[in-house]
Amino acid sequence: MWLKPEEVLLKNALKLWVTQKSSCYFVLQRRRGHGEGGGRLTGRLVGALDAVLDSSARVAPFRILLQVPGSQVYSPIACGATLEEINQHWDWLEQNLLHTLSVFDNKDDITSFVKGKVKALIAEETSSRLAEQEEEPEKFREALVKFEARFNFPEAEKLVTYYSCCCWKGRVPRQGWLYLSINHLCFYSFFLGKELKLVIPWVDILKLERTSNVFLTDTIRITTQNKERDFSMFLNLDEVFKMMEQLADVTLRRLLDNEVFDLDPDLQEPSQITKRDLEARAQNEFFRAFFRLPRKERLHAVVDCSLWTPFSRCHTAGRMFTSDSYICFASREDGCCNVVLPLREVVSIEKMEDTSLLPNPIIVSIRSKMAFQFIELKDRENLVEGLLVRLKQVHANHPVHYDSSPSDDDMTSSVFYSTSMCSDKFGDLEMVSSQNGEEKEKEKSPLPHPEPLTVFQQSGCQSPDSRLSREQIKISLWNDHFVEYGRTVCMFRTEKIRKLVAMGIPESLRGRLWLLFSDAVTDLASHPGYYGNLVEQSLGRCCLVTDEIERDLHRSLPEHPAFQKETGIAALRRVLTAYAHRNPKIGYCQSMNILTSVLLLYAKEEEAFWLLVAVCERMLPDYFNHRVIGAQVDQSVFEELIKEHLPELAEHMNDLSALASISLSWFLTLFLSIMPLESAVNVVDCFFYDGIKAIFQLGLAVLEANAEELCSSKDDGQALMILSRFLDHIKNEDSPGPPIGSHHAFFSDDQEPYPVTDIADLIRDSYEKFGNQSVEQIEHLRCKHRIRVLQGHEDTTKQNVRAHMMSCYWEHPRPMPLRHDPSRPYAEQYRIDARQFAHMFQLVSPWTCGVHTEILAERTFRLLDDNMDQLMEFKAFVSCLDIMYNGEMNEKIKLLYRLHIPPALTENDRDSQSPLKNPLLSTSRPLVLGKPNGDTIDYQKQLKQMIKDLAKEKDKTEKELPKMSQREFIQFCKTLYSMFHEDPEENELYQAIATVTTLLLQIGEVGQRSSSSGSCSQECSEELQASAPSPEQDSVFVETGKPPQDPRAFPEAGEGDWTVSLEHILASLLTEQSLVNFFEKPLNIKSKLENAKLNQYSLKALEMSHPPQPELKLNNL
């Protein structure tokens, strides 16, 4: 590897290096202790020095120095891990530079020329290896050479980054280097003559955590199925740990199918992943989680700044985040002030005059006549330029339509009105419009029922006056807040608004605030007519998803009057079906119906649809799919939070997974299915404002309120009863509507009245006691536990595959343990016998030969059974399939050739005695064959030249295969003939194989005569001049009804020396383009596997529906 020249004094390194070669200008040196001639003690001392000084990634065993005669200063220009590698560089220098340097008179000119040439070589090599993507290309290239030499991975295994660290082996630290690649974590250490290499695939890591031991306070512990490894003494442990988390997460996500997980475009190709890409991914994930933005949003810049906050009359320090469609701000003090500005709402972005009081200010103006002032922005020019470009693009993609007729007499329209609304339907933000507004709405809306289904009825309430007065007080507080903090999605989000949300949002404002907090209002305004089109496209279609939706429609809030009528059911059906049509990866999942039902109570149908989009795709990622991975990850996070905040309860509940199973519905339905509806909507209020954090802290508050009873519970059933009874008795004293029964009302049939808990008190306690969890902490915990959950799914998949293999290919349970060895590598753990292999071969092999397939399968099994134990490993089977499907033509022909010579073909082969039942035509046929158009082609010269070329290209180290006898050749021909059956080019292939067979028979016969007479060149030349055969003779296979005309045409193998080699066969096949096309055409194994699965399922179903006949007779008796 070429190095950037740096000057060194040679006298300082004489004791560590030994000169191997030298010339006028260059010196090749070997590191003392490496290779031959190095003293054993010296080598250990030098290795120990390299390890202690962290120099093992910088010091290669060999190097080349540039020396100028008469100077004591030398410059390293190349290094190598092996002698062969450094000799290549030395040879290049001798051939390209050594003679050129003699023309220079000035020593400085020589030095400058060589350094410039080496730098040019480095630049060329750097661009080819993508090293320019790293922060320090020189050091990265050196580490890359070490990584490749030490671990010998394929070229596709890309090194991402590397770190100096210690690996603990018991109580002894081993100083070395940690290499993180796309698929592996590797560690190398060389200390006092002892070499240590560790290779841990990311897919094998069960747990990745930061721990402490008796020697160090901060250590990274990696847990696999069999061992734990501790790494410490990192220069920046936070960076290393985040990089490990990202690589493990990306690898495990890619290992599973891409049904749910959509990786960033930069991470789709593993060979292109860099450290910078992973850091950007981590920043993007935090940004989207913190502000709950769509997954497609890509972060562009994060800059420190200060924002003018009019409510506090000062500038608040924080950070600005800019992405494709948003400008966001977060204060340094968590929860002090956050702002989300969709670029769709932005009118202008302007730079103000720079002053001492307002350094580098910009003004962002929005459509609701508000302006945001940011100051102390570094690199303001480039920041504003990028924002203006994206602002123009957003407005071009989603033009803004103004609404000139807002309703002035509505109490809430003045609060929420924004000129960004796309039509009258969205400009009038009220729960119940005026009569004229309703008529206008019905005319414009393409949907049957655009308004909210119902507002809670006030008749039948206890103390209606007091409850209405509380509702009016809340509305008044919200109106005052809107005046001071803003009334659109661009409002200042502070601790004050969190307290208002915790009190419960007024019924008349709930749906609109949900839209603002989730930013679904931006999606709604950006996609006019989108929902209506989805409804038209999706309704009337019948599939599995629609069947599931229909089944659950009447189970969605059946106690609520709105869903006891067809109007509510139809609206719910439209929203769920439209979303399943929009996102088929999710489709429909249970619990979506309950959530959507509640959304329809407070929002118009189209608004409810976009709220559902926000919940499923942004706020609860990976929750709603058949694996429910997101919910499982959060359950694991919840268990850890229980251990941290409620240690006594965690100690009593030895198995916290029981609590996790109970609390799963809390997360999936946001407490809507296990709490009275009028109380649960307050939880949904907090969820839309604070995200999943609100559910975590409320879950902890529920457990703490019942901790004493739970600690005294005897089993999981009693714990479930305690929690269900508590949740069923949570009331909302401020609700203006009548109480709605919950799904768990049957738990409250007690003789004694159960104490009632007010939802506002419970939410307040959750914020006060457990509200200190930040979004960053929750995301870190999610990443930590996602590795374990994904690993668990991988293990489950392996178990399912094992069970499927056993059910399909092992009829009796007795031989299973004998054919499964868990101690072996996974691809070699399972073994099958000849009968099972034959069955699988017929199912998945592309070489279908009719009745001959079974015989070919037997020969393949004998060929692959190297140890002759009558069992085959999965790895060997897959390797054979790989050649059949993906191999080149010469590899396929070689495999076929080996299948027709021993050990695959035996003397007792059941099809080896009379393979064709008819003789081949006479072998005394010429090698000059006639073509239909009358032209003739002399194949003799072509064959000779091809055989010579193949002999030249043949690998000298490859063991030569034995030649094929005539009996074996006949078997080979029969297999080829069977393979072409039912092929679209069947006739052309038959004619081609007839030609090739004739050629090979001639070659074999010529070789036979040559071996018997010693010289037959003249005879051969005479025979080859014979006339061309007739069309009737130009066929390999004669009609089956005719007896052999000349039994001597097929002498036994022992009667003569008739043989052909693999090179003869391959060269002959290459003369026919149709045969070349047949063996080189692409084959798709996916369809074959799908058909194999269907075949197996059909057989199983047939076996289950038709029991064995003897058993039927016994039953009939």
Side-chain angles (χ1 to χ4, degrees):
M1 181 184 70
W2 299 107
L3 299 178
K4 183 179 180 181
E6 296 179 357
E7 295 181 349
V8 297
L9 290 176
L10 190 61
K11 64 179 182 180
N12 295 334
L14 285 176
K15 296 182 180 180
L16 299 178
W17 295 90
V18 178
T19 299
Q20 296 281 97
K21 297 181 183 179
S22 63
S23 64
C24 297
Y25 301 101
F26 304 106
V27 178
L28 190 155
Q29 294 183 331
R30 170 178 52 82
R31 187 75 166 173
R32 190 178 294 275
H34 290 272
E36 297 180 359
R40 187 173 182 183
L41 179 60
T42 305
R44 290 190 176 187
L45 292 176
V46 173
L49 180 64
D50 290 341
V52 171
L53 297 180
D54 289 348
S55 59
S56 59
R58 297 192 297 273
V59 181
F62 301 93
R63 70 177 182 178
I64 298 176
L65 301 177
L66 167 65
Q67 67 168 3
V68 179
S71 175
Q72 293 295 322
V73 178
Y74 292 71
S75 300
I77 60 174
C79 70
T82 62
L83 183 61
E84 291 78 8
E85 180 184 359
I86 203 68
N87 279 333
Q88 290 178 1
H89 290 75
W90 181 266
D91 294 341
W92 188 93
L93 291 171
E94 286 187 333
Q95 296 171 10
N96 296 277
L97 285 187
L98 195 58
H99 301 293
T100 307
L101 298 180
S102 60
V103 303
F104 292 98
D105 297 329
N106 193 329
K107 298 178 181 179
D108 294 335
D109 293 342
I110 294 176
T111 304
S112 300
F113 177 77
V114 174
K115 288 182 178 181
K117 191 66 177 177
V118 171
K119 289 180 181 179
L121 292 172
I122 290 174
E124 181 180 353
E125 187 176 323
T126 298
S127 60
S128 64
R129 284 179 159 260
L130 300 175
E132 73 280 359
Q133 298 179 11
E134 307 299 330
E135 295 177 357
E136 299 178 286
E138 290 295 329
K139 292 184 178 180
F140 183 81
R141 288 173 61 252
E142 295 171 12
L144 181 60
V145 170
K146 289 292 185 182
F147 172 73
E148 292 175 346
R150 287 168 175 167
F151 299 101
N152 196 27
F153 284 122
E155 289 186 11
E157 185 64 18
K158 184 181 184 302
L159 177 65
V160 176
T161 187
Y162 63 99
Y163 301 95
S164 171
C165 69
C166 279
C167 176
W168 289 81
K169 194 173 183 181
R171 295 187 177 183
V172 180
R174 296 293 298 268
Q175 177 66 36
W177 287 83
L178 182 71
Y179 299 91
L180 307 182
S181 67
I182 55 176
N183 294 310
H184 298 87
L185 178 149
C186 305
F187 178 80
Y188 179 85
S189 173
F190 184 84
F191 190 74
L192 293 178
K194 293 184 178 180
E195 187 179 54
L196 174 63
K197 287 184 182 180
L198 294 178
V199 177
I200 304 175
W202 294 114
V203 296
D204 290 348
I205 294 178
L206 301 177
K207 188 184 295 184
L208 186 64
E209 57 186 341
R210 295 174 63 167
T211 61
S212 301
N213 59 27
V214 293
F215 302 101
L216 293 171
T217 57
D218 217 350
T219 304
I220 296 178
R221 174 167 295 172
I222 296 173
T223 305
T224 59
Q225 189 171 4
N226 301 320
K227 202 155 191 177
E228 290 182 347
R229 293 285 184 182
D230 289 340
F231 298 90
S232 63
M233 296 186 185
F234 292 97
L235 185 63
N236 188 339
L237 189 136
D238 290 336
E239 176 189 320
V240 179
F241 188 71
K242 289 179 180 178
M243 198 59 55
M244 288 182 176
E245 282 186 327
Q246 288 292 317
L247 281 168
D249 185 54
V250 169
T251 305
L252 286 168
R253 284 173 179 258
R254 190 183 293 111
L255 185 64
L256 296 173
D257 56 19
N258 290 326
E259 174 185 348
V260 178
F261 301 116
D262 296 322
L263 292 173
D264 296 339
D266 295 336
L267 303 177
Q268 294 290 350
E269 179 55 44
S271 61
Q272 302 298 320
I273 294 178
T274 65
K275 177 183 176 183
R276 190 176 304 170
D277 293 333
L278 294 172
E279 290 173 343
R281 176 180 184 258
Q283 274 195 332
N284 271 311
E285 288 187 337
F286 170 74
F287 165 69
R288 291 191 292 257
F290 188 87
F291 295 103
R292 297 186 295 281
L293 299 179
R295 282 189 175 183
K296 65 181 180 180
E297 280 301 307
R298 187 165 55 93
L299 185 64
H300 288 278
V302 181
V303 293
D304 292 330
C305 65
S306 295
L307 171 66
W308 174 256
T309 49
F311 52 88
S312 61
R313 304 290 180 181
C314 66
H315 283 91
T316 301
R319 290 189 298 172
M320 175 192 287
F321 302 79
T322 63
S323 66
D324 296 333
S325 307
Y326 290 86
I327 301 174
C328 302
F329 174 84
S331 60
R332 289 180 184 173
E333 184 181 349
D334 188 31
C336 176
C337 177
N338 296 333
V339 175
V340 177
L341 305 177
L343 289 182
R344 179 182 172 80
E345 293 291 318
V346 175
V347 176
S348 64
I349 302 173
E350 301 172 322
K351 293 179 289 186
M352 292 178 61
E353 183 180 356
D354 188 7
T355 65
S356 59
L357 294 177
L358 300 176
N360 296 328
I362 67 170
I363 295 292
V364 179
S365 302
I366 63 173
R367 302 189 185 282
S368 57
K369 299 180 180 180
M370 287 181 63
F372 296 85
Q373 182 189 78
F374 297 91
I375 64 171
E376 300 176 349
L377 290 161
K378 295 181 180 179
D379 198 13
R380 180 179 65 164
E381 301 297 328
N382 291 333
L383 178 67
V384 173
E385 182 180 354
L387 286 173
L388 289 175
V389 170
R390 293 193 291 275
L391 177 65
K392 183 178 180 180
Q393 184 176 359
V394 168
H395 285 182
N397 294 338
H398 302 287
V400 178
H401 304 277
Y402 291 87
D403 179 12
S404 58
S405 59
S407 176
D408 297 330
D409 58 347
D410 178 65
M411 175 180 59
T412 60
S413 65
S414 61
V415 172
F416 292 99
Y417 173 69
S418 170
T419 55
S420 68
M421 295 304 174
C422 60
S423 66
D424 293 341
K425 177 168 60 175
F426 306 127
D428 188 12
L429 297 179
E430 58 178 344
M431 288 299 293
V432 182
S433 305
S434 62
Q435 185 175 358
N436 294 335
E438 289 179 355
E439 294 175 357
K440 186 176 182 180
E441 185 75 31
K442 292 178 181 178
E443 292 176 2
K444 287 191 173 186
S445 175
L447 303 172
H449 194 80
E451 293 296 329
L453 293 179
T454 180
V455 186
F456 283 113
Q457 302 295 327
Q458 296 177 2
S459 58
C461 299
Q462 295 181 359
S463 305
D465 294 338
S466 62
R467 294 196 176 191
L468 287 176
S469 63
R470 292 179 186 175
E471 188 79 357
Q472 291 171 355
I473 292 173
K474 286 184 181 181
I475 292 175
S476 177
L477 291 173
W478 277 98
N479 283 333
D480 294 341
H481 184 275
F482 292 140
V483 171
E484 187 173 5
Y485 293 87
R487 64 188 69 227
T488 67
V489 69
C490 305
M491 67 175 67
F492 291 96
R493 308 185 188 201
T494 65
E495 190 63 31
K496 183 177 179 181
I497 196 171
R498 179 177 283 116
K499 292 179 180 179
L500 288 176
V501 171
M503 293 169 55
I505 298 176
E507 298 287 337
S508 58
L509 305 181
R510 176 164 280 138
R512 303 311 173 196
L513 283 173
W514 287 356
L515 285 169
L516 297 183
F517 293 155
S518 65
D519 196 34
V521 66
T522 300
D523 291 334
L524 175 68
S526 302
H527 299 83
Y530 176 82
Y531 174 68
N533 293 333
L534 278 182
V535 171
E536 293 178 3
Q537 295 170 14
S538 59
L539 284 183
R541 294 192 175 186
C542 294
C543 60
L544 181 61
V545 173
T546 56
D547 292 342
E548 292 178 355
I549 292 174
E550 289 295 330
R551 182 188 61 204
D552 289 344
L553 285 177
H554 294 278
R555 304 176 186 175
S556 310
L557 300 185
E559 70 281 354
H560 197 284
F563 296 99
Q564 295 172 357
K565 303 176 183 178
E566 183 56 32
T567 303
I569 295 296
L572 180 60
R573 177 187 295 112
R574 288 191 294 270
V575 174
L576 292 175
T577 308
Y579 183 78
H581 189 71
R582 164 191 165 85
N583 192 345
K585 290 183 179 180
I586 292 179
Y588 170 77
C589 181
Q590 285 187 347
S591 76
M592 287 174 65
N593 58 324
I594 298 175
L595 176 61
T596 307
S597 301
V598 176
L599 297 178
L600 284 168
L601 294 178
Y602 294 96
K604 300 174 185 178
E605 189 174 316
E606 185 171 9
E607 295 169 348
F609 169 80
W610 287 111
L611 284 170
L612 181 64
V613 169
V615 172
C616 295
E617 299 176 12
R618 300 206 296 266
M619 305 186 73
L620 295 178
D622 308 328
Y623 260 61
F624 300 97
N625 54 72
H626 73 278
R627 285 195 175 109
V628 203
I629 287 180
Q632 291 186 51
V633 171
D634 282 349
Q635 290 302 293
S636 296
V637 173
F638 190 50
E639 289 181 25
E640 181 164 337
L641 293 176
I642 293 173
K643 295 177 183 177
E644 178 183 349
H645 295 281
L646 303 172
E648 294 182 1
L649 177 61
E651 185 178 354
H652 173 76
M653 304 287 291
N654 295 326
D655 185 9
L656 287 178
S657 60
L659 276 182
S661 62
I662 295 173
S663 62
L664 180 62
S665 61
W666 303 359
F667 290 82
L668 285 174
T669 66
L670 307 179
F671 286 90
L672 289 169
S673 63
I674 43 85
M675 192 183 289
L677 183 59
E678 68 273 11
S679 303
V681 291
N682 284 30
V683 179
V684 180
D685 294 342
C686 299
F687 168 76
F688 275 115
Y689 184 78
D690 269 324
I692 195 63
K693 169 187 173 182
I695 307 301
F696 279 124
Q697 62 193 32
L698 187 64
L700 291 173
V702 170
L703 293 180
E704 188 206 34
N706 296 273
E708 186 176 347
E709 290 187 72
L710 289 173
C711 288
S712 61
S713 62
K714 298 179 180 179
D715 52 34
D716 297 342
Q718 187 176 358
L720 173 62
M721 184 74 71
I722 292 170
L723 292 174
S724 299
R725 186 173 53 196
F726 174 82
L727 292 169
D728 191 56
H729 286 82
I730 295 178
K731 304 301 179 184
N732 186 355
E733 300 296 336
D734 296 340
S735 175
I740 305 294
S742 72
H743 293 291
H744 292 272
F746 58 86
F747 284 117
S748 60
D749 297 335
D750 302 324
Q751 298 295 332
E752 299 180 2
Y754 191 84
V756 173
T757 303
D758 186 55
I759 185 62
D761 296 336
L762 186 63
I763 291 176
R764 184 177 62 252
D765 289 345
S766 72
Y767 274 102
E768 291 176 355
K769 298 177 180 178
F770 310 106
N772 58 348
Q773 295 290 333
S774 66
V775 174
E776 187 173 9
Q777 291 171 326
I778 290 176
E779 288 303 308
H780 168 70
L781 290 174
R782 278 178 162 179
C783 191
K784 170 184 174 182
H785 289 278
R786 189 182 296 118
I787 295 174
R788 186 185 64 80
V789 171
L790 292 177
Q791 188 64 255
H793 275 277
E794 173 64 9
D795 293 340
T796 302
T797 302
K798 290 180 180 179
Q799 293 173 5
N800 291 339
V801 170
R802 177 190 175 192
H804 174 73
M805 291 282 289
M806 289 182 173
S807 65
C808 291
Y809 306 111
W810 276 274
E811 294 180 359
H812 304 289
R814 183 174 52 85
M816 289 182 196
L818 301 177
R819 300 179 186 179
H820 177 229
D821 185 1
S823 64
R824 298 171 63 86
Y826 187 72
E828 303 174 10
Q829 288 183 7
Y830 301 96
R831 297 182 294 173
I832 55 177
D833 59 23
R835 182 186 57 80
Q836 295 161 341
F837 174 81
H839 182 48
M840 292 186 66
F841 187 89
Q842 293 178 8
L843 287 174
V844 299
S845 171
W847 292 350
T848 53
C849 308
V851 295
H852 192 64
T853 305
E854 187 175 353
I855 299 171
L856 190 63
E858 293 177 2
R859 294 172 184 167
T860 306
F861 183 85
R862 285 195 292 267
L863 177 65
L864 300 179
D865 185 18
D866 295 331
N867 56 3
M868 308 288 288
D869 63 351
Q870 302 302 314
L871 293 173
M872 180 185 296
E873 299 167 349
F874 175 74
K875 183 178 181 180
F877 179 61
V878 172
S879 300
C880 180
L881 284 181
D882 181 54
I883 296 176
M884 293 180 180
Y885 279 95
N886 304 315
E888 297 180 357
M889 179 180 176
N890 60 332
E891 295 175 326
K892 295 179 180 179
I893 298 302
K894 182 178 179 181
L895 177 59
L896 278 173
Y897 185 91
R898 295 180 63 193
L899 290 176
H900 295 85
I901 59 175
L905 186 69
T906 63
E907 291 292 336
N908 298 324
D909 194 300
R910 55 173 167 161
D911 196 45
S912 64
Q913 301 303 321
S914 57
L916 302 177
K917 300 187 184 294
N918 295 292
L920 293 172
L921 295 179
S922 171
T923 58
S924 60
R925 299 179 59 182
L927 291 178
V928 181
L929 300 181
K931 289 293 179 181
N933 57 5
D935 298 334
T936 60
I937 297 178
D938 187 358
Y939 287 105
Q940 182 184 10
K941 295 181 179 179
Q942 294 185 18
L943 284 174
K944 288 182 178 180
Q945 184 61 39
M946 287 182 180
I947 292 174
K948 290 180 180 179
D949 295 340
L950 287 170
K952 292 179 181 179
E953 297 176 2
K954 183 178 179 182
D955 187 3
K956 301 299 182 182
T957 62
E958 183 179 357
K959 184 178 180 181
E960 185 175 358
L961 292 174
K963 292 186 178 181
M964 182 179 285
S965 67
Q966 190 175 49
R967 181 180 68 87
E968 295 161 354
F969 175 70
I970 293 172
Q971 289 294 322
F972 181 82
C973 292
K974 180 173 181 181
T975 299
L976 290 179
Y977 178 82
S978 304
M979 288 173 64
F980 302 148
H981 185 57
E982 296 184 357
D983 190 274
E985 306 294 333
E986 183 177 0
N987 293 332
E988 187 177 350
L989 289 170
Y990 284 159
Q991 183 178 0
I993 198 60
T995 303
V996 169
T997 305
T998 302
L999 298 178
L1000 290 170
L1001 287 170
Q1002 280 291 325
I1003 292 172
E1005 187 171 305
V1006 169
Q1008 184 180 19
R1009 294 200 195 105
S1010 176
S1011 62
S1012 61
S1013 63
S1015 175
C1016 63
S1017 58
Q1018 182 65 29
E1019 296 179 12
C1020 293
S1021 60
E1022 291 177 359
E1023 290 184 13
L1024 294 175
Q1025 300 300 323
S1027 59
S1030 62
E1032 290 79 4
Q1033 291 176 320
D1034 197 17
S1035 175
V1036 178
F1037 304 101
V1038 190
E1039 295 180 8
T1040 58
K1042 296 181 180 181
Q1045 297 177 358
D1046 186 4
R1048 292 172 296 176
F1050 292 97
E1052 295 296 326
E1055 295 179 3
D1057 296 322
W1058 189 100
T1059 58
V1060 290
S1061 66
L1062 173 63
E1063 288 78 6
H1064 293 149
I1065 293 176
L1066 183 58
S1068 303
L1069 291 172
L1070 289 173
T1071 62
E1072 294 294 334
Q1073 188 61 40
S1074 58
L1075 295 175
V1076 174
N1077 295 340
F1078 176 83
F1079 284 104
E1080 290 188 347
K1081 65 182 178 182
L1083 300 173
N1084 184 12
I1085 193 173
K1086 184 177 180 181
S1087 58
K1088 199 79 173 179
L1089 290 175
E1090 291 175 353
N1091 292 334
K1093 291 179 183 178
L1094 294 175
N1095 183 286
Q1096 289 300 107
Y1097 295 151
S1098 301
L1099 288 177
K1100 288 293 178 184
L1102 187 63
E1103 291 174 2
M1104 294 177 65
S1105 60
H1106 298 285
Q1109 190 67 23
E1111 292 184 8
L1112 289 175
K1113 292 180 179 180
L1114 290 174
N1115 292 336
N1116 291 334
L1117 292 176

